[in-house]
Amino acid sequence: MISGTTSLIAHLGVPTESFRAPLIYNPWFESKGIDARVVPMGCEIEDYPAFLPLLFRLRNISGALVTMPHKVTTVDLLDEASPAVRIAGSCNAVRRDAEGRLVGDMFDGEGFVRGMLRKGRNVKGSRALVVGSGGVGSGIAAALAQAGVAEIGLYDSRGSVAEQLAQRLRHHCPQIGIQTGSNDPAGWDVVVNATPMGMNPDDPMPVDVSRIDPQAFVGEVVMKQAETPFLAAAKGRGCVTQIGADMLFEQIPAYLEFFGYPAATSDELRNVSRLNY
């Protein structure tokens, strides 16, 4: 139930049809007797810069989950940004502090890295190719860098976007080797599809799957279906894979802490989730 006492967490992005977070957060809130709910809000790109500050004028707003296509735009609307936001150049969590300032953080990458570790894959010292340098891809690249990868390859169909991310990584993480301009997965220990490819059945593969090392860890951010054709093909080569929803389950505990709610584990969230495909 939503009542006059319910605290709201806005889930901002377009289109909203692919949103999966409410199916995880809201059952958990119910199970804990917490009077809060995540509500999808389909804000258009042109309206977003004016809408976000107004949203946080509401008395019963606890925070906002930010997804495509607003993650990059959000950074310039913040009063305070975390190190992850500054490295990534994107933001997926916003709250208002006691002084009324908008504070932002980025948890996509943390969720991806936590998922890798849960599957027993060592991040430190590995070489990772991240295809897609938008909001989610930049967050994953930033988290991989902070987790100690030795080298990161960045590719985006918009070459300038990948180069901008590379510059931020070189500035904040100078110890890490950075490559740009190629989506060839050969030789990489970790391969991540951080593009929307896979949302539609006729989408092309983000990389040439036949060139992925069978020992590589292959991850996906698309959550429209449990296993995209890309992940299915990678699994067919023998790769350990991570579906998009795994990243979501692993990052929600960090979100809840950021918004000031009780601690949760990814296992607790999975046990009550109503996420079905």
Side-chain angles (χ1 to χ4, degrees):
M1 286 291 295
I2 293 179
S3 71
T5 62
T6 304
S7 296
L8 302 180
I9 298 175
H11 192 181
L12 302 172
V14 283
T16 61
E17 288 79 5
S18 63
F19 286 8
R20 296 292 183 262
L23 300 172
I24 304 172
Y25 281 91
N26 292 340
W28 186 80
F29 285 140
E30 289 177 10
S31 73
K32 297 297 183 182
I34 297 172
D35 192 8
R37 293 297 182 269
V38 171
V39 180
M41 297 184 182
C43 184
E44 301 297 337
I45 293 174
E46 60 271 22
D47 299 324
Y48 184 73
F51 177 75
L52 186 69
L54 289 174
L55 175 70
F56 279 93
R57 298 290 295 275
L58 298 177
R59 289 187 176 189
N60 61 334
I61 194 78
S62 291
L65 314 174
V66 183
T67 190
M68 295 186 295
H70 304 315
K71 293 182 182 182
V72 174
T73 304
T74 300
V75 177
D76 289 335
L77 304 176
L78 300 173
D79 298 305
E80 181 180 330
S82 71
V85 169
R86 292 194 294 271
I87 296 171
S90 63
C91 171
N92 72 350
V94 182
R95 63 176 172 81
R96 183 177 55 201
D97 69 9
E99 286 74 43
R101 302 179 307 153
L102 294 187
V103 178
D105 212 327
M106 165 54 78
F107 299 121
D108 278 339
E110 182 173 348
F112 188 89
V113 169
R114 286 188 185 189
M116 282 188 66
L117 295 173
R118 175 180 280 267
K119 291 177 175 63
R121 295 302 292 254
N122 187 27
V123 180
K124 192 170 184 179
S126 63
R127 302 177 67 248
L129 173 65
V130 181
V131 180
S133 300
V136 62
S138 60
I140 290 172
L144 288 169
Q146 291 177 308
V149 295
E151 189 173 358
I152 297 177
L154 302 172
Y155 178 82
D156 196 285
S157 58
R158 305 157 298 170
S160 62
V161 175
E163 288 296 337
Q164 290 166 11
L165 174 56
Q167 290 175 14
R168 292 193 299 273
L169 284 166
R170 290 179 182 122
H171 174 73
H172 291 282
C173 307
Q175 75 280 9
I176 295 173
I178 305 294
Q179 295 185 28
T180 61
S182 173
N183 66 341
D184 182 0
W188 295 96
D189 304 311
V190 181
V191 179
V192 187
N193 174 35
T195 77
M197 293 179 190
M199 292 281 287
N200 303 303
D202 57 348
D203 283 346
M205 293 289 182
V207 302
D208 182 350
V209 178
S210 69
R211 291 183 57 77
I212 299 178
D213 189 319
Q215 302 303 313
F217 181 91
V218 179
E220 172 72 271
V221 303
V222 171
M223 285 181 267
K224 192 171 183 180
Q225 53 190 312
E227 186 175 75
T228 61
F230 171 60
L231 286 189
K235 185 180 289 185
R237 287 188 58 75
C239 300
V240 175
T241 62
Q242 176 165 287
I243 66 173
D246 285 347
M247 181 180 72
L248 184 58
F249 278 110
E250 294 295 337
Q251 67 181 288
I252 287 177
Y255 266 118
L256 290 170
E257 180 180 347
F258 179 74
F259 293 138
Y261 290 107
T265 67
S266 61
D267 286 337
E268 289 173 344
L269 295 165
R270 290 177 190 275
N271 288 338
V272 298
S273 169
R274 295 175 194 161
L275 178 60
N276 295 304
Y277 288 97

